[in-house]
Amino acid sequence: MVRLLRRTGTRSTRPGDPRAHRPARAPENDARHASQGERPGPGRQPRPPWSDPRAGLQTALGGRSVAGQVFFLQVVIVLLLVVSAVLALVLQVRHDTTQEARNRSLAVAQSFANAPGTREALSGPDPTAVLQPRAEAAREGSRVDFIVVMNTEGIRYTHPRPDRIGKKFVGNIAPALAGGTEVEEIDGTIGRLVQAVVPVKAPDGDVVGLVSAGITTEHVGGVADRQLPLVLAAAAAGLALATAGTALVSRRLMRQTHGLGPREMTRMYEHHDAVLHSVREGVIIVSGDGDLVLANDEAQRLLDLPSDAERRQVTELGLPTDTAELLASGRVATDEVHLVGDRLLAVNQRPTDLEGGPPGHVATLRDSTELRALSGKAEEARERLTLLYDAGVGVGTSLDVTRTAEELAALAVPRFADFATVDLFEAVLHGGEPEAAGGLRRAAFSGIRDDPPLYPVGERIRFVETSPQAQAQALAGGPATVEPCLAEAHGWLAQDLQRSAQVVEYGIHSMITVPVRAGGLLLGVANFWRSEKPGPFDEEELALAEELVARAAVSIDNARRYTREHGLAVTLQRSLLPRTLPEQGALDIAYRYLPARAAVGGDWFDVLPLSGTRVALVVGDVVGHGLHAAATMGRLRTAVHNFSALDLPPDELLGLLDELVGRIDQDEAAEGGAPVTGATCLYAVYDPVTRRCAIARAGHPPPAVIRPDGRVEFPEVPAGPPLGLGGLPFETAELELEEGSRIVLYTDGLIEGRGQDIDAGFELLGAALAGSGPSPEETCRAVLDARLPHRPSDDVALLVARTRALPASHVAQWEVPQDPAAVGEVRAAVTRKLTEWGLEELLFTTELVLSELVTNAIRYGSAPVRVRVLRDRALVCEVFDASSTSPHLRYAAMTDEGGRGLFLVAQLAERWGTRYTPTGKVIWAEQPLP
């Protein structure tokens, strides 16, 4: 049995031992009396004095204890050391202070005596006037208390106190008169001081004056004031450490003896022995030699120890090898599990000699067989819950169908399966409604290895009717199935005999197939394969797979719906944007349009040929994203097309567009729709004849201009308000552009971004434009590569136009007198010009058109009248006059004598029209070149 050293009995009493019936006070009674604060009586265990820190400290510092005597001796030693240190410090500081004062006063006196001008001032008519300021300046700079200059009789010329000047110097000047120096300590008028007296000598060696510098000793040093607190602080720290050390020593001594006598210690050990053998945890104590010193009842039961186990080597007790080696080694172990018989024991082992105890170690044993099984199930349940939580967080991070399927497959491997595949209907991948009759396409794969003989990603698969995938693919949406042994799953093997055999040979032995179902829609199937774990999938794992796929199916369906809506919006938006640019000769144009990453927006652009070889460039942005923004963009683009046909100046066109947006907002507000207010637009008209560009903008970023020499400018264009606000006018700015200049129009997605200031955006855009090539196409490529290396978060429209100039040889104009006879002269001049251009085929129609237009201008217009003919992609005839009255086309009756002129012009010309200028109007007509 268990034997304890320093005990009055041989061993503790066990149940069944006759000595157990010996009357004794119940421990709980002692505890109850102690808790009530009663004083220990006969037979009661006294409260250990070391359990109360205050009592222990009082006992330790008592003069009758050894600890108290040691404490008193330590205090005396500390006090002696402190007194000695203070005394030595005072003496040392006094010596250092005097020496410092002597050195400083001597150095200052010699420096001033030998300073330039001192000897000359002594021989001057008024030495005080010259030397007093110098002496005071030197005194303040050298930190001495006085500098006194005197004659050989000791009469002062300088002094910090002017009332002392002219009086006799107090001190010994005889050594200085003899040519030497004198340093002495005296009680002067300003206190105890050290002063030095040095001579001022003439070049021949005669003493012509004396200089004395002095400093009071209290102004030197100060080291004691700084060091004395440190000494006192060290003394206080020493006393504190002595007190703490004495208290610790006293508590350690009382802890070793427990403050108890033999009787109390015997009772305490009996209680400890009873507790040791009653706990439901095995306790084993092994000596440093490997002998079993103690094993309580629970340890003997768990290890099935023999009755004579104590005092034997633990390696001889018949324990399993690993358990015996652990108990014999004495190494530290924490919850180390060992199989002993049919029990799983959690062993904790610690040495007993950490705090000066006897060599050896103690081990505790806990039966964790049932706890291990329960904890394994709890851990498995926790892992499944974590997997489902991660599915809710990690699947569906993007609105992309394929990406969502890949996230599902990646989540399942390797936490749930060794391989995972997701097969979706073809229509689902493109955002359409799933078609059960259609085939599936492998959308995602994930595995612990990359070489399994499964269908690869992207392959179109048609499953046979007997396969689990086909059953899950049924119209009604079949149930999830588990195939515990693929080698015996004949329905699955029939899918592809060769590939199925390869899968089984590869080591994949079990599979779960789950339909990917969102509401009433079957989107595809998900498959989970197992190869590493020898056991097959079970019903619990089937339920987990169903829950996992059900959560992912919602994200896949959301991605499908988004893909469909995004595709519709992109299709609508692209249908509303220009697919090809119209032919014109004024500009070389390149453009880019990039839809937003998340949703389409309302950015748009257009190129509109105008009369007189002019071209209009327009860029706009509608607030918001989605179908509404795309539809609104189409309405604004159509409106600009219509307004541009009127040949209006840019500011007037934006005014009409602003009114239109205001009316649209009123209609939308009445119907509860979203307003358009906040849309922006920039409208520019370039004339290749004059090389001038008129620009107006409504809340839009200004254009950029790249000059032929490569300089990048952002011209000042008045910023009008965004469209729809109303009430504020728009202004037009005119730029003169050299041939070969590039005009860059863009939307705000190119210069704005998260965390980026718009000024920084302009700087970056300017840098990208400066480094671009000379052609518009190269400019577009350079800007997008520099500013948008990835898909943008907002729509971006970019339009780059390089200017051309119509050669002067292709322009002819004549001033026409206000006389009908001048029409013939105009016809003749035009005939000569067309003959020169080689356009004889157009002579008849051009003469007829110009005759009608010039006659109308002379008859109904105002002077001056001017004719201009332009040769570009078409032959343009223009007649200018100062009248603002616009002609209109009439359809004359058979009996009418007039009214057929414009009708003939409309029939002969390809296009004709009227545009207004600040000084009148222009009637123009175009004819295609032969």
Side-chain angles (χ1 to χ4, degrees):
M1 301 303 289
V2 179
R3 297 178 181 273
L4 298 177
L5 301 178
R6 301 174 65 183
R7 294 250 328 251
T8 55
T10 58
R11 62 186 177 92
S12 62
T13 58
R14 307 284 182 85
D17 196 325
R19 288 176 296 176
H21 300 286
R22 185 173 55 191
R25 182 183 297 274
E28 58 271 16
N29 293 337
D30 291 341
R32 176 173 53 82
H33 288 294
S35 63
Q36 293 174 356
E38 296 181 9
R39 299 179 61 186
R44 295 180 184 174
Q45 182 177 354
R47 184 180 183 183
W50 45 267
S51 62
D52 186 356
R54 292 177 298 178
L57 183 61
Q58 293 175 358
T59 304
L61 299 182
R64 291 176 294 178
S65 65
V66 175
Q69 295 174 0
V70 172
F71 174 71
F72 178 76
L73 181 60
Q74 289 177 337
V75 171
V76 172
I77 293 174
V78 170
L79 291 178
L80 288 176
L81 291 176
V82 171
V83 172
S84 301
V86 171
L87 182 60
L89 177 63
V90 171
L91 294 177
Q92 181 64 35
V93 168
R94 179 175 297 178
H95 175 268
D96 293 344
T97 300
T98 303
Q99 187 63 33
E100 171 67 16
R102 294 173 66 89
N103 293 338
R104 190 187 301 178
S105 60
L106 180 60
V108 172
Q110 289 177 341
S111 298
F112 194 84
N114 297 321
T118 302
R119 186 179 67 252
E120 290 78 1
L122 288 173
S123 60
D126 190 357
T128 299
V130 176
L131 295 176
Q132 175 68 8
R134 295 183 184 179
E136 287 303 298
R139 179 181 64 82
E140 294 177 358
S142 58
R143 295 182 300 173
V144 296
D145 290 323
F146 66 86
I147 296 178
V148 174
V149 181
M150 65 196 86
N151 59 16
T152 54
E153 296 178 359
I155 303 302
R156 299 187 186 102
Y157 291 145
T158 66
H159 196 276
R161 298 180 182 178
D163 58 341
R164 303 295 176 89
I165 296 175
K167 296 182 180 181
K168 186 72 172 180
F169 174 74
V170 179
N172 184 14
I173 62 174
L177 293 175
T181 61
E182 173 68 13
V183 181
E184 59 182 347
E185 295 184 33
I186 64 172
D187 291 325
T189 58
I190 57 175
R192 184 68 179 177
L193 56 86
V194 175
Q195 64 181 10
V197 183
V198 298
V200 179
K201 297 181 179 180
D204 57 358
D206 294 338
V207 177
V208 297
L210 303 175
V211 175
S212 176
I215 184 173
T216 57
T217 56
E218 65 179 11
H219 291 171
V220 181
V223 178
D225 296 339
R226 296 190 298 269
Q227 294 181 346
L228 187 59
L230 295 178
V231 174
L232 296 179
L239 291 175
L241 290 176
T243 303
T246 303
L248 290 176
V249 169
S250 177
R251 288 173 62 85
R252 179 65 181 272
L253 291 174
M254 286 187 289
R255 195 177 284 121
Q256 292 289 337
T257 61
H258 301 286
L260 303 175
R263 182 176 178 181
E264 289 78 8
M265 292 181 64
T266 300
R267 182 180 296 276
M268 182 186 66
Y269 275 111
E270 288 178 350
H271 290 172
H272 290 179
D273 194 23
V275 171
L276 182 66
H277 291 286
S278 63
V279 295
R280 299 301 298 169
E281 186 170 308
V283 179
I284 289 180
I285 299 178
V286 181
S287 67
D289 299 331
D291 295 337
L292 180 62
V293 177
L294 181 145
N296 68 347
D297 295 345
E298 185 67 9
Q300 291 184 0
R301 183 182 71 84
L302 295 176
L303 298 178
D304 195 17
L305 297 176
S307 58
D308 59 344
E310 296 182 4
R311 300 301 179 186
R312 292 175 56 184
Q313 288 283 321
V314 294
T315 56
E316 301 173 358
L317 301 179
L319 300 176
T321 304
D322 58 340
T323 307
E325 290 178 353
L326 172 63
L327 296 177
S329 65
R331 63 179 175 85
V332 176
T334 301
D335 287 337
E336 191 171 308
V337 179
H338 289 260
L339 179 63
V340 180
D342 57 350
R343 296 185 178 92
L344 284 174
L345 302 182
V347 181
N348 289 274
Q349 185 165 272
R350 297 291 185 274
T352 59
D353 56 353
L354 293 179
E355 297 183 1
H361 49 275
V362 58
T364 59
L365 313 173
R366 185 174 68 255
D367 191 355
S368 62
T369 305
E370 296 180 358
L371 181 62
R372 187 77 173 182
L374 292 176
S375 62
K377 292 182 178 179
E379 180 65 20
E380 185 177 353
R382 187 190 66 80
E383 291 179 356
R384 293 181 178 181
L385 289 176
T386 303
L387 180 64
L388 293 177
Y389 172 79
D390 292 342
V393 175
V395 178
T397 58
S398 67
L399 292 174
D400 183 82
V401 176
T402 302
R403 176 60 183 163
T404 305
E406 292 173 350
E407 290 172 346
L408 170 60
L411 179 70
V413 178
R415 301 165 64 180
F416 178 70
D418 298 322
F419 302 95
T421 58
V422 180
D423 307 323
L424 300 176
F425 289 107
E426 188 79 26
V428 172
L429 294 173
H430 299 92
E433 294 287 337
E435 299 175 359
L440 296 172
R441 187 176 295 277
R442 181 137 296 175
F445 163 81
S446 181
I448 58 175
R449 293 185 295 275
D450 297 332
D451 58 345
L454 300 172
Y455 289 113
V457 174
E459 184 166 341
R460 188 179 178 86
I461 309 171
R462 280 193 175 275
F463 293 101
V464 299
E465 294 182 358
T466 58
S467 66
Q469 290 87 349
Q471 296 174 10
Q473 188 184 343
L475 289 176
T481 58
V482 57
E483 293 290 349
C485 182
L486 290 179
E488 301 175 359
H490 301 291
W492 175 78
L493 292 171
Q495 169 66 31
D496 186 338
L497 295 178
Q498 182 179 0
R499 185 181 293 273
S500 300
Q502 293 174 351
V503 170
V504 174
E505 184 180 355
Y506 186 79
I508 299 176
H509 59 81
S510 184
M511 177 190 70
I512 289 178
T513 298
V514 183
V516 181
R517 188 184 297 109
L521 294 178
L522 181 66
L523 307 177
V525 293
N527 307 288
F528 304 96
W529 316 78
R530 174 171 288 175
S531 63
E532 296 295 320
K533 190 175 181 180
F537 287 111
D538 54 26
E539 294 298 326
E540 292 185 0
E541 291 171 322
L542 177 63
L544 175 61
E546 287 183 296
E547 180 67 21
L548 183 64
V549 173
R551 297 193 178 196
V554 176
S555 298
I556 293 176
D557 189 51
N558 289 339
R560 177 190 67 84
R561 294 174 183 271
Y562 170 78
T563 302
R564 180 185 60 188
E565 295 179 2
H566 187 265
L568 291 175
V570 170
T571 302
L572 173 62
Q573 187 180 43
R574 291 195 179 276
S575 67
L576 298 175
L577 290 172
R579 299 183 180 180
T580 59
L581 297 180
E583 294 184 359
Q584 45 81 33
L587 299 168
D588 292 329
I589 296 177
Y591 65 91
R592 293 288 189 276
Y593 175 75
L594 278 72
R597 178 175 60 249
V600 297
D603 291 14
W604 59 283
F605 66 95
D606 214 337
V607 178
L608 307 172
L610 302 177
S611 63
T613 69
R614 297 172 304 127
V615 178
L617 303 176
V618 58
V619 174
D621 186 4
V622 176
V623 294
H625 294 84
L627 291 174
H628 178 76
T632 304
M633 176 267 291
R635 299 171 71 179
L636 295 183
R637 179 169 176 258
T638 302
V640 171
H641 264 270
N642 295 332
F643 293 151
S644 66
L646 302 176
D647 258 335
L648 298 173
D651 55 342
E652 295 184 20
L653 186 142
L654 291 182
L656 294 177
L657 198 61
D658 180 62
E659 294 179 4
L660 175 64
V661 171
R663 289 196 299 270
I664 293 176
D665 283 346
Q666 291 178 1
D667 297 340
E668 292 289 345
E671 298 177 3
V676 189
T677 301
T680 65
C681 183
L682 185 146
Y683 189 83
V685 176
Y686 173 69
D687 188 349
V689 178
T690 62
R691 294 185 291 104
R692 299 191 67 82
C693 182
I695 305 175
R697 61 189 180 111
H700 203 82
V705 175
I706 308 175
R707 298 293 180 179
D709 59 0
R711 290 181 295 110
V712 178
E713 301 175 357
F714 290 92
E716 292 291 337
V717 179
L723 299 175
L725 295 182
L728 296 176
F730 300 97
E731 298 182 34
T732 298
E734 287 198 1
L735 308 177
E736 184 171 352
L737 303 175
E738 303 90 341
E739 185 175 8
S741 299
R742 282 167 286 168
I743 309 173
V744 182
L745 308 183
Y746 51 90
T747 55
D748 57 0
L750 196 62
I751 57 173
E752 293 181 354
R754 293 182 178 178
Q756 176 180 288
D757 186 73
I758 190 170
D759 292 334
F762 279 119
E763 293 180 3
L764 295 175
L765 176 59
L769 293 174
S772 61
S775 69
E777 188 66 29
E778 291 174 335
T779 304
C780 288
R781 188 182 308 114
V783 169
L784 294 187
D785 289 346
R787 297 292 297 124
L788 299 172
H790 306 292
R791 193 172 178 185
S793 58
D794 191 11
D795 285 18
V796 171
L798 175 64
L799 188 64
V800 180
R802 183 172 58 188
T803 62
R804 295 176 180 173
L806 193 64
S809 59
H810 289 196
V811 179
Q813 58 183 359
W814 302 271
E815 298 293 335
V816 181
Q818 197 78 7
D819 183 2
V823 176
E825 297 176 2
V826 172
R827 284 199 303 266
V830 171
T831 299
R832 289 191 298 271
K833 179 56 70 173
L834 293 184
T835 302
E836 179 185 340
W837 288 344
L839 301 177
E840 290 83 357
E841 298 180 17
L842 300 179
L843 285 175
F844 175 74
T845 56
T846 304
E847 288 178 358
L848 185 56
V849 167
L850 280 177
S851 296
E852 292 297 334
L853 296 181
V854 173
T855 300
N856 284 342
I858 294 174
R859 180 178 300 177
Y860 303 109
S862 302
V865 177
R866 182 164 50 91
V867 174
R868 187 172 71 170
V869 180
L870 307 175
R871 179 189 174 187
D872 193 32
R873 293 179 178 270
L875 183 64
V876 182
C877 299
E878 299 177 330
V879 177
F880 299 77
D881 70 84
S883 173
S884 60
T885 302
S886 175
H888 60 280
L889 184 62
R890 292 174 54 191
Y891 296 92
M894 295 294 294
T895 59
D896 289 343
E897 294 183 359
R900 295 178 178 84
L902 287 180
F903 179 77
L904 290 175
V905 171
Q907 296 299 315
L908 296 175
E910 185 178 41
R911 295 194 308 156
W912 77 280
T914 304
R915 72 173 182 269
Y916 292 94
T917 66
T919 59
K921 68 176 182 296
V922 181
I923 304 176
W924 56 270
E926 287 186 6
Q927 301 176 74
L929 296 180

